[in-house]
Amino acid sequence: MSADHHHTCACCAEHQDGPPLSYGSPAPAGWKARYSWRRDSGLTADQCVIKGRDFFVHGLIEIPVRDSGDTFSWGVWASLSEENFARTHDRWDYPARDQEPPYFGWLSTELPVYQHSTIQLKTHVHTRAVGQRPLIELEPTDHPSRSSSAKASP
């Protein structure tokens, strides 16, 4: 990125003003290209199944950018139980899907800017209106990547 804060969007290849406000992962941790040949595995832009036993949805962790009105988004994957994945999948195009309660999940994306692993952090997956990725909410934690004030006491 140049000093004048322009970038090219990785999704649409258009020239954009300002710094990029989103980064993402095309697949959950653990996905391997060879799985695409398996009948019990599959990866789309929104959902993933690995070996018929691990189930994931693609969503966003959204972080407000202070004093700008903008939002920074991490495109991440969260694992779901088989039952919750099936329910999410069945309601993917359902107009009232945003009425669903949040689903428990585990973060399944390594966020590269953090020194410690972000894999397996507890999440809540909030389904939103059709056409919007789910909102991924991290549960409060004493994860070492948080500020020093959030660290556990000795």
Side-chain angles (χ1 to χ4, degrees), residues 1 5-24:
M1 189 168 69
H5 297 288
H6 296 286
H7 69 280
T8 301
C9 177
C11 293
C12 66
E14 288 187 20
H15 188 70
Q16 306 279 329
D17 291 331
L21 290 173
S22 65
Y23 290 95

Side-chain angles (χ1 to χ4, degrees), residues 121 139-147 150-153:
L121 293 177
E139 279 194 9
T141 182
D142 62 353
H143 188 266
S145 293
R146 293 187 51 174
S147 68
K151 291 183 181 174
S153 305

Side-chain angles (χ1 to χ4, degrees), residues 4-153:
D4 59 0
H5 297 288
H6 296 286
H7 69 280
T8 301
C9 177
C11 293
C12 66
E14 288 187 20
H15 188 70
Q16 306 279 329
D17 291 331
L21 290 173
S22 65
Y23 290 95
S25 176
W31 174 261
K32 307 220 182 307
R34 69 177 181 264
Y35 295 157
S36 62
W37 299 102
R38 295 178 61 113
R39 291 182 188 210
D40 61 354
S41 299
L43 173 67
T44 69
D46 299 310
Q47 300 175 0
C48 180
V49 177
I50 298 176
K51 298 182 180 179
R53 65 176 183 251
D54 297 313
F55 307 91
F56 307 89
V57 292
H58 195 189
L60 299 172
I61 296 173
E62 295 182 339
I63 304 166
V65 178
R66 196 177 291 173
D67 300 326
S68 74
D70 289 327
T71 300
F72 177 83
S73 299
W74 279 112
V76 298
W77 293 84
S79 67
L80 295 177
S81 68
E82 184 173 6
E83 178 183 339
N84 286 341
F85 180 82
R87 186 170 174 87
T88 301
H89 180 77
D90 290 346
R91 289 165 176 72
W92 198 255
D93 293 317
Y94 182 63
R97 76 180 197 172
D98 58 339
Q99 306 290 317
E100 287 289 303
Y103 301 111
F104 176 80
W106 297 99
L107 189 62
S108 300
T109 300
E110 194 70 69
L111 300 178
V113 297
Y114 296 105
Q115 178 181 2
H116 299 278
S117 177
T118 55
I119 299 293
Q120 298 296 317
L121 293 177
K122 293 179 181 179
T123 68
H124 295 279
V125 178
H126 299 267
T127 309
R128 299 194 278 191
V130 173
Q132 287 188 300
R133 291 204 186 282
L135 177 68
I136 308 295
E137 174 190 13
L138 294 173
E139 279 194 9
T141 182
D142 62 353
H143 188 266
S145 293
R146 293 187 51 174
S147 68
S148 59
S149 63
K151 291 183 181 174
S153 305

